[in-house]
Amino acid sequence: MASFFSTVKRIYLAIYNWAVFTGWIQVLIFAIKALNESGPAAVYDAVEKPLQLAQTAAILEIIHGLIGLVRSPVSATLPQIGSRLFVTWGILHSFPETRTHILVSSLVISWSLTEIIRYSFFGMKEALGFTPSWLLWLRYSTFLLLYPTGITSEVGLIYIALPYIKASEKFCFRMPNKWNFSFDYYFASLAVLGIYVPGSPHMYTYMLGQRKKALSKLKAA
Amino acid sequence: MIVTLVSRSGREVVRGGIELSDSATVKDLQEAIHAKTKKYYPSRQRLTLPTKAGVSGKPVVLSPKSKVSDYCEKGNSDNLTVVFKDLGPQVLYSTLFFFEYLGPLVIYPLFYYLPLYKYFGYDDTNRTIHPVQTYAMYYWCLHYSKRILETFFIHRFSHATSPLSNVFRNCLYYWTFGAYIAYYVNHPLYTPVSETQWKIGFAFGLLCQVSNLYCHIILRNLRSPSVNGGYQIPKGFLFNIVTCANYTTEIYQWLGFNIATQTVAGYVFLVVATAIMTNWAMGKHRRLRKLFDGKDGRPKYPRRWVILPPFF
């Protein structure tokens, strides 16, 4: 019974990883095409649909971690996916004024390169049982550049959106009300920016630790 | 006798070891280590016996009151290897508690007395202060003053110190939640509940605070140093039915405050605080049941609610 479940688990994870991989390949190709043909302002419109699909699918990964299907700690996946969803839906989708900015291009390229490597890495592991060492190296090395470029793009876009957020009442819930509750999207966005301050070094050092572990295993093998 | 002091990676912490008289206590050892290493004062030292290969379970911690020779293996009372871990800079528990509680005590009245809301974009000039907001401020300040007084006059701490990093973490928790709740209860657009409701809320809360104080007094008198590592089965008052009656009364006290003031912020705090205390209570209940298992002449721990009757 146990080995039946583990086979089903493997097939599911293999399909999941390769499917999302395909989404991100689309994002990268459309982005480069738009850059070549029209320039940075056109990138968002070209990638919107596959970007939203691929990024939102990542919610499944939190569930995978919670139910123990994969070993990644929720403390590492939640902030990463949280920030991605916030930027994708809470900033780019909700405030179109940000879509033409050049940071969208750097964002989309950083994200897609990282995810293409990550999903193919896990996809191979599940489907074939191993990953080639060059892919392992890529998975644990490209973040050294792509995390800073991605995080800078995310922070930059949130910052650019701030005046539009302040001027709009979108997602705001005001007082007075019976439960003395309020939600101000502008303050919430400031709080998110604040979280990047301790959050980014935390994620980066976590990956550095993972890199050390993974590459030393490679040397030993 | 010679004590060889090693780090967890096997490196010698004090070259050549520490020479002690055969009747030396662990406390003497700690002071000798401090004298030799200068920066590792005793409360920073965690001293354990080396774990044997293949043996699982937690390593044996050296107790300051015991004699060093108590930890030696039979027939080998001339030397002992002790594993050293630096716990980092330490502060007194009373210091930690004082600063965590001082924040809310000071921050909340700031929102009540000072015209801060204009910085959030609200017109602060013609506001009416509802009676419940005033009583809430008194209640809150009473609560945190009580906590500070208990820290210095009532609580007896099992460990004298806590890592310095806990100061930042705990203050962040208390101060942020304090500001978050104070912002809403003192808001110019605050909507009060009915007079009956807030009177009941505060009365219930006060009753629980008094009970909580009594629980703390009972716990203080429990800590006799001799038997069972200082642990005794708590009894008397609510402890006869709940292991962690002190947490229970604390939680219900916050419930009273929330019934009176009715803010989402207050209820969020209640839920988080309850989760944290429940976690602690489960650990304490488990420890007491393990210790008082009814064997070897020890009493058996009675069946009790862990923390929150009637739920848990």
Side-chain angles (χ1 to χ4, degrees):
Chain A
M1 213 42 191
S3 72
F4 171 72
F5 276 134
S6 82
T7 319
V8 171
K9 175 177 119 164
R10 261 184 82 180
I11 296 177
Y12 166 73
L13 285 175
I15 294 176
Y16 171 76
N17 281 297
W18 286 113
V20 188
F21 165 85
T22 317
W24 284 107
I25 291 268
Q26 267 196 310
V27 171
L28 186 64
I29 292 177
F30 290 178
I32 295 181
K33 199 156 167 279
L35 274 174
N36 266 336
E37 289 172 10
S38 330
V43 169
Y44 181 80
D45 285 334
V47 303
E48 183 181 38
K49 287 285 169 282
L51 176 70
Q52 289 179 333
L53 198 61
Q55 192 59 83
T56 310
I59 293 178
L60 285 171
E61 277 161 65
I62 299 180
I63 300 180
H64 294 168
L66 279 174
I67 62 177
L69 207 62
V70 293
R71 256 185 322 172
S72 305
V74 181
S75 70
T77 51
L78 200 60
Q80 167 137 323
I81 295 178
S83 70
R84 296 283 194 88
L85 291 174
F86 177 68
V87 173
T88 306
W89 291 103
I91 302 288
L92 289 172
H93 173 79
S94 307
F95 297 94
E97 304 91 330
T98 58
R99 294 178 191 175
T100 48
H101 199 276
I102 193 164
L103 283 176
V104 176
S105 306
S106 55
L107 180 85
V108 162
I109 292 177
S110 306
W111 282 4
S112 55
L113 283 175
T114 307
E115 300 301 68
I116 286 169
I117 294 170
R118 189 165 75 92
Y119 283 109
S120 59
F121 175 82
F122 285 120
M124 281 223 191
K125 219 156 172 228
E126 297 299 337
L128 305 175
F130 78 97
T131 41
S133 51
W134 55 264
L135 189 56
L136 180 96
W137 185 89
L138 279 177
R139 150 110 173 107
Y140 287 106
S141 306
T142 48
F143 80 88
L144 291 168
L145 178 68
L146 295 177
Y147 260 38
T149 55
I151 290 173
T152 307
S153 311
E154 290 175 32
V155 169
L157 284 170
I158 297 172
Y159 183 76
I160 288 164
L162 285 177
Y164 304 111
I165 295 175
K166 194 167 199 207
S168 134
E169 268 296 289
K170 233 176 190 180
F171 306 128
C172 295
F173 188 80
R174 299 289 178 206
M175 277 171 63
N177 59 73
K178 192 168 92 149
W179 283 98
N180 293 304
F181 173 69
S182 73
F183 183 76
D184 183 290
Y185 197 56
Y186 178 73
F187 278 121
S189 305
L190 286 179
V192 171
L193 281 179
I195 295 177
Y196 272 95
V197 174
S200 318
H202 171 75
M203 296 297 291
Y204 201 71
T205 47
Y206 171 74
M207 283 306 288
L208 282 174
Q210 296 294 89
R211 174 169 209 261
K212 207 164 165 203
K213 257 198 280 178
L215 294 189
S216 72
K217 251 199 228 142
L218 197 63
K219 265 209 189 100
Chain B
M1 62 184 307
I2 307 270
V3 171
T4 309
L5 198 65
V6 292
S7 71
R8 282 169 305 158
S9 57
R11 204 178 37 88
E12 247 201 308
V13 178
V14 175
R15 217 150 1 146
I18 307 235
E19 201 176 317
L20 294 168
S21 80
D22 287 348
S23 59
T25 59
V26 173
K27 185 160 177 287
D28 298 330
L29 172 63
Q30 286 181 318
E31 280 164 14
I33 294 173
H34 182 201
K36 283 261 170 112
T37 56
K38 302 275 190 307
K39 89 169 177 170
Y40 298 133
Y41 41 87
S43 54
R44 243 176 113 150
Q45 304 170 17
R46 182 178 145 88
L47 302 175
T48 53
L49 291 180
T51 48
K52 300 190 174 64
V55 177
S56 64
K58 282 190 152 146
V60 175
V61 179
L62 273 59
S63 159
K65 296 201 187 77
S66 308
K67 301 233 291 265
V68 178
S69 52
D70 290 344
Y71 294 100
C72 292
E73 286 186 16
K74 243 185 279 205
N76 196 10
S77 58
D78 290 339
N79 49 59
L80 177 70
T81 302
V82 171
V83 180
F84 169 87
K85 180 180 169 183
D86 175 22
L87 293 173
Q90 299 284 304
V91 298
L92 288 178
Y93 251 106
S94 45
T95 310
L96 172 66
F97 279 22
F98 176 71
F99 281 109
E100 356 177 288
Y101 300 151
L102 188 68
L105 186 60
V106 168
I107 292 172
Y108 191 106
L110 290 179
F111 281 92
Y112 181 84
Y113 285 113
L114 298 181
L116 296 179
Y117 292 91
K118 63 170 180 266
Y119 299 113
F120 292 97
Y122 293 96
D123 178 16
D124 229 355
T125 45
N126 280 327
R127 53 174 302 187
T128 46
I129 295 187
H130 303 279
V132 65
Q133 291 177 302
T134 308
Y135 293 126
M137 193 263 299
Y138 292 153
Y139 183 97
W140 177 276
C141 292
L142 173 73
H143 179 73
Y144 280 101
S145 308
K146 165 179 165 288
R147 287 224 206 178
I148 292 179
L149 290 172
E150 284 173 337
T151 301
F152 289 115
F153 296 112
I154 306 218
H155 292 324
R156 285 225 189 105
F157 299 105
S158 54
H159 300 282
T161 63
S162 179
L164 179 65
S165 53
N166 277 353
V167 176
F168 300 116
R169 182 194 68 172
N170 291 15
C171 284
L172 185 70
Y173 169 77
Y174 278 104
W175 297 23
T176 310
F177 263 120
Y180 183 50
I181 296 172
Y183 172 83
Y184 283 105
V185 183
N186 296 300
H187 203 283
L189 297 177
Y190 175 78
T191 309
V193 297
S194 72
E195 191 174 325
T196 315
Q197 186 172 331
W198 59 253
K199 283 190 171 161
I200 291 179
F202 283 136
F204 178 64
L206 282 172
L207 181 64
C208 293
Q209 285 210 66
V210 171
S211 309
N212 177 264
L213 176 63
Y214 188 44
C215 285
H216 286 154
I217 293 172
I218 292 181
L219 286 175
R220 167 196 170 82
N221 294 329
L222 271 189
R223 274 204 184 276
S224 88
S226 47
V227 190
N228 287 322
Y231 279 112
Q232 288 190 43
I233 297 182
K235 51 165 114 36
F237 191 45
L238 293 173
F239 286 104
N240 288 333
I241 44 172
V242 186
T243 297
C244 293
N246 50 324
Y247 294 154
T248 312
T249 45
E250 178 68 13
I251 291 168
Y252 281 120
Q253 171 275 132
W254 280 125
L255 180 62
F257 178 81
N258 281 320
I259 288 173
T261 52
Q262 195 154 300
T263 64
V264 168
Y267 277 105
V268 169
F269 178 62
L270 175 65
V271 168
V272 175
T274 303
I276 294 175
M277 283 188 265
T278 304
N279 203 11
W280 292 344
M282 295 200 297
K284 177 150 190 205
H285 189 87
R286 213 178 298 134
R287 237 181 293 137
L288 284 172
R289 285 194 49 187
K290 205 168 155 203
L291 191 57
F292 296 105
D293 49 10
K295 308 187 180 135
D296 296 337
R298 287 189 291 269
K300 184 151 166 50
Y301 197 75
R303 256 182 81 86
R304 279 179 185 169
W305 296 107
V306 178
I307 177 172
L308 278 178
F311 307 111
F312 184 43

